Every structure is written in structure tokens, then in C-alpha cells.
Amino acid sequence: MDFEAIKARAEYYKDDMTRFLRELVRLPGESCGEKEKVERAATEMRKLGFDKVEIDGMGNLLGYMGSGKTLIAFDGHIDNVGVGNLNNWSFDPLEGYENDEEIGGRGVSDQQGGIVSAVYGAKIMKDLGLLNDDKYTVLVTATVQEEDCDGLCWQYIINESGIRPEFVVLNEPTDGGIYRGQRGRMEIRVDVKGISCHGSAPERGDNAIHKMAEILLNVRDLNENNADDDNTGGRFSCVDSDNQIKGLVKMLDEKYNPEWKEARFLGRGTITTSEIFFTSPSRCAVADSCSVSLDRRMTAGETWESCLEEIRNLPAVKKYGDDVKVTMYEYDRPSYTGCVYPIECYFPTWVIPEDHPVTKAMEEAYKGLYGNERHGNAETDGVRKARPLTDKWTFSTNGVSIMGRNNIPCIGFGPGAEAQAHAPNEKTWKQDLVTSAAVFAALPTVYVSKLSS
């Protein structure tokens, strides 16, 4: 393969990619409101000669290039979060800006830049004849509702359209690196019942907030305690030594987790209280219910069943028995097409082995183009080179469905920086668009060549 020709072609399209990304930024695109962005991306695909462009019932954009047997997908979500407090921005986030090196605006790193690079990566494959031997077909997606419910779009694509690629490249921002996994997450709800009474005589009632307070101290113990066998009482424990709560750090130990090696790679799980609700007849009464939301991040070896049971087995939860209910949230918000596709708010951990053929193919494609270290512009190059080339995401991606639920291998590479996601003054770098488009263009040929050798 002529890697230099691929790099040159990617550089040739830098201005086109910049224009395309800036036009996407100017269109509305929060979750469930992505229609204009999807239609604009579809127009670009048709202009560049994609062989088939369609929008499915949920509103996901699917663009195909080539006619080979092996289907390789490049996924990016086209929705973005809101702008937050405008006072924190130094420029208009919906107009954005551009200079010689950067493009600013809400969604440029997270993650419409990845879609732009994937669309032009497919175009480069076509320009350079990489699709002519009919060994593979490329699918570029611009998916919806990821910010609301990551992975839901691909549950729809897989289940309703029957599409199962050989593997999927997630083009979320990777700071110039190759990412092979992420921690999972789930949204847990705990409801506690009480009995109200007049606040002047609280002993007549059963205060749900007080009961929840005990439970939340146990939750904090679960997050903060160590897992030593001889540890009596936790760092924040409100229970005696007979009810010691082992911390989530235990999953990094082979004694508790057969997947401890990948758990150490991804990092330990965490749990925190994110929301609290209550009901009470008045400010002069005992609360008769209390509910909380728990944000649970999961490492390798943890499942939704294990995480729910962990909460149900907390000493304070068991103490209050049937007055406590532990459940998982469900997402059922309509997409911009009106499609309602309910799903549990469970987003599984996934990790692809470091010696998997997809991992090796991505590393070979990248190294053939840019060498053994991460690549960036003058601002980012030094910091990136200090990090390992192959690493993992801190946040969550559509891989929770593609690989986490459906066991389709995923690998990550994309323009922009994780730290720019959801932040004010979000920006990406033109060089990243070029680099990603080149890597995307090279990867399928490297992969099918390795399979046939």
C-alpha cells in the first residue's frame, strides 16, 4: 500500500473537511433533534459518490462505499450536548471559529470531526482504488441519541436492520491514540418508603430521608473502602466490623475477578450519588419517601446483575428490607423521527484484546502512516507522544452496544481530545482531521490483507 499517497490525499481534502465540519456545527443537533445535521451529512456523502446513502427509522445515517463481502463500519454520533452557560464561552459555540490550526464550536471534538474524517476516509479509498478488488464494503454512520443513551442507535441498527459488521471503528476523540476499550456504566435508582407525621413529633413517623442517609453512607463505603481481609470497618463506615463493606477496588484483584488484568487496564469501577428526590406533606413534616440516582462505572468482570446485587446487599438496604427498592433506569425518549425504542440504562464494559487482529491491523495502519508514537500539531504533539500509542477511553461510547451487548469487535481512533468533550470553548485541530482520514482510508486494506496472508 502507498501510505504516502494516502497521506497526500488526506491533506488535499483538509479544506473540504474543515468546511464540512463548520457547516455541521452551525446546525442544531442535541439528542432527539439531529435531523438537520443528518440531512447535511447525507448531502455530503451523495456529493462524494457514496454507493448507497439511507436514513433508517430511528434517524441514523448509513452511507456505503464499495461492494465487497467484508463489511467494516466507521461509527460516529452526530448529536452533541448543549452549550451550557454561555458566559463560559469566549466565542459563539454554534457559529464557531477557524484559524490556521483549529476549528472551534460545540461538537467539533465530541464528535462531529470523527464523522467528517470517516466520510472523507471513504472518499480517499475510492479515489485511490482501494475498493476496486471487492474485498470489503465500508459503512460510515452518523448515529443519533448517543449523548442521551449511548449505544441505543446501534441496538436499533443491529436488531432492526440486521447489520453486523466484521468490526467497527469508533471515531470518538482519542488524542492521537488507538483505544481498545472503556469502562461501562449503568444508572441505578434506589427508592425508600417512609411514613409522614408532624415534624414536632418525628417519632410518630418513619423518616425516609434518614433511612436513605444510612444507605448513602454504605454507598460511599462501597466506593472508598479497600478490600483487605483484615480491614475492620471502612474509611467512612457507619457499620460494625461484622458488616464490613469491601470496596469496588476488589475487582482489580485476581482473588475476586477472573478478568482482573483487563480491569487494571481499564481502571477500577466507581459509584457516586448523582441525584436525590423526596416527598413530604410540608417542610413541617417527616419525609414519606426518598429516592436517589446512582452513577455506577463498571470495569471488566462487572455486570448489571452484579452491580444491582451489590446495592441490595448493603447492610443498610438489607436492614430496611421491603421498604427499599433497587432498580435500573430505562430510556424511552422518542428520536427526531418519533421512533421510541426502550432500553435499560445499562452500558456494558468492553475491551478488545491487545493481540486481536483488529487491534493489530489498526496499529499497523497507523504505524505505516505516522510511526510508533501519537501524532499531533505543534500544540498537542509533545503531550501526546508522552502517552502510550494504544490505550483506552475515560468516557463511554457506542461500543457499549456494538461490542458490550453484541460482541462485535470495536477499536477506537478519532480526531480531537477527550478533554474537549462537553467543555466550554470546545475545539479540534485540522491536522487531526487529516490524520484520522488517512488512518481510516488505510485500515480496511491492511485488515483484509492480514486475513488473506
Side-chain angles (χ1 to χ4, degrees):
M1 191 184 325
D2 189 342
F3 287 116
E4 291 304 316
I6 293 173
K7 288 167 67 174
R9 201 64 180 167
E11 186 68 32
Y12 172 79
Y13 283 123
K14 180 167 69 174
D15 290 345
D16 296 277
M17 288 190 281
T18 298
R19 171 193 47 77
F20 180 25
L21 179 54
R22 295 211 62 198
E23 290 177 7
L24 285 176
V25 166
R26 294 187 183 106
L27 300 171
E30 292 185 41
S31 294
C32 307
E34 308 96 333
K35 181 179 180 180
E36 291 182 57
K37 284 189 190 293
V38 168
E39 291 177 345
R40 175 63 189 85
T43 297
E44 193 79 6
M45 287 179 174
R46 294 186 182 104
K47 184 187 80 172
L48 296 179
F50 274 65
D51 297 313
K52 182 169 67 171
V53 179
E54 58 188 19
I55 298 171
D56 68 18
M58 179 174 278
N60 301 302
L61 174 62
L62 311 173
Y64 295 87
M65 193 81 91
S67 57
K69 180 180 179 181
T70 301
L71 180 64
I72 297 171
F74 293 82
D75 174 67
H77 67 84
I78 203 162
D79 59 324
N80 50 258
V81 296
V83 299
N85 185 351
L86 279 171
N87 292 329
N88 292 329
W89 291 77
S90 61
F91 59 88
D92 182 344
L94 302 181
E95 171 58 30
Y97 75 90
E98 171 190 355
N99 60 33
D100 289 345
E101 298 284 335
E102 303 169 348
I103 305 165
R106 176 52 91 211
V108 291
S109 265
D110 187 20
Q111 56 114 147
Q112 288 145 49
I115 293 172
V116 168
S117 290
V119 168
Y120 275 85
K123 172 61 172 169
I124 294 167
M125 295 177 212
K126 186 172 186 176
D127 288 352
L128 299 182
L130 299 176
L131 295 159
N132 290 348
D133 58 9
D134 282 341
K135 288 185 177 179
Y136 60 85
T137 297
V138 169
L139 166 62
V140 177
T141 68
T143 47
V144 299
Q145 291 179 273
E146 190 273 351
E147 296 291 5
D148 252 17
C149 187
D150 30 320
L152 175 65
C153 48
W154 270 90
Q155 282 299 106
Y156 185 92
I157 290 169
I158 293 166
N159 293 340
E160 304 306 316
S161 301
I163 296 170
R164 289 189 65 90
E166 181 96 353
F167 69 90
V168 179
V169 179
L170 303 167
N171 50 54
E172 294 260 17
T174 62
D175 288 283
I178 297 165
Y179 286 179
R180 64 178 185 92
Q182 57 154 98
R183 293 184 304 165
R185 70 181 185 92
M186 64 184 298
E187 298 172 6
I188 300 172
R189 182 180 174 109
V190 181
D191 295 281
V192 175
K193 294 188 294 186
I195 300 173
S196 64
C197 69
H198 199 283
S200 63
E203 68 276 5
R204 298 173 184 166
D206 185 15
N207 196 312
I209 292 177
H210 288 177
K211 291 153 80 172
M212 183 65 81
E214 291 185 49
I215 293 170
L216 293 183
L217 286 173
N218 281 187
V219 169
R220 189 168 65 173
D221 286 345
L222 190 63
N223 191 64
E224 299 294 341
N225 284 2
N226 62 37
D228 295 347
D229 289 335
D230 60 353
N231 185 18
T232 55
R235 176 177 165 194
F236 297 109
S237 186
C238 64
V239 298
D240 62 28
S241 59
D242 293 333
N243 290 316
Q244 164 64 20
I245 300 169
K246 289 191 183 295
L248 299 180
V249 69
K250 67 181 181 289
M251 297 304 287
L252 304 184
D253 189 334
E254 59 184 315
K255 176 180 177 180
Y256 299 103
N257 184 10
E259 299 180 48
W260 63 276
K261 287 185 179 179
E262 293 293 20
R264 290 185 181 181
F265 168 69
L266 294 174
R268 54 158 289 185
T270 58
I271 189 167
T272 191
T273 307
S274 55
E275 295 177 316
I276 189 164
F277 321 95
F278 71 94
T279 60
S280 178
S282 78
R283 290 199 298 271
C284 301
V286 164
D288 54 16
S289 79
C290 187
S291 304
V292 295
S293 302
L294 303 177
D295 180 287
R296 177 66 158 90
R297 302 289 159 152
M298 301 174 295
T299 193
E302 296 179 315
T303 67
W304 68 266
E305 296 100 328
S306 69
C307 292
L308 290 179
E309 280 305 300
E310 216 162 34
I311 302 301
R312 290 171 180 148
N313 287 325
L314 290 174
V317 172
K318 295 172 76 172
K319 174 181 175 181
Y320 293 114
D322 292 341
D323 287 347
V324 185
K325 183 171 69 172
V326 180
T327 57
M328 182 163 39
Y329 280 95
E330 185 175 88
Y331 180 85
D332 61 358
R333 189 179 174 195
S335 73
Y336 77 82
T337 66
C339 174
V340 177
Y341 205 69
I343 194 170
E344 310 92 347
C345 291
Y346 169 58
F347 311 95
T349 305
W350 65 270
V351 58
I352 188 171
E354 57 187 345
D355 60 352
H356 193 282
V358 172
T359 310
K360 292 303 183 184
M362 176 62 88
E363 290 175 341
E364 184 175 323
Y366 179 87
K367 291 175 181 178
L369 290 159
Y370 297 106
N372 296 326
E373 297 178 306
R374 297 191 187 209
H375 180 63
N377 68 351
E379 178 185 354
T380 62
D381 197 57
V383 174
R384 289 180 176 182
K385 280 182 167 55
R387 299 178 60 187
L389 176 60
T390 302
D391 208 343
K392 77 278 186 180
W393 273 293
T394 301
F395 56 50
S396 188
T397 71
N398 280 333
V400 298
S401 171
I402 303 165
M403 189 169 182
R405 285 179 179 261
N406 294 283
N407 205 32
I408 297 169
C410 289
I411 196 75
F413 191 84
E418 284 184 88
Q420 294 295 320
H422 303 188
N425 302 312
E426 182 178 355
K427 67 179 180 179
T428 193
W429 295 269
K430 294 180 180 180
Q431 180 58 54
D432 280 10
L433 298 179
V434 171
T435 299
S436 295
V439 171
F440 296 159
L443 174 61
T445 298
V446 170
Y447 177 76
V448 297
S449 297
K450 289 176 74 69
L451 287 184
S452 60
S453 63

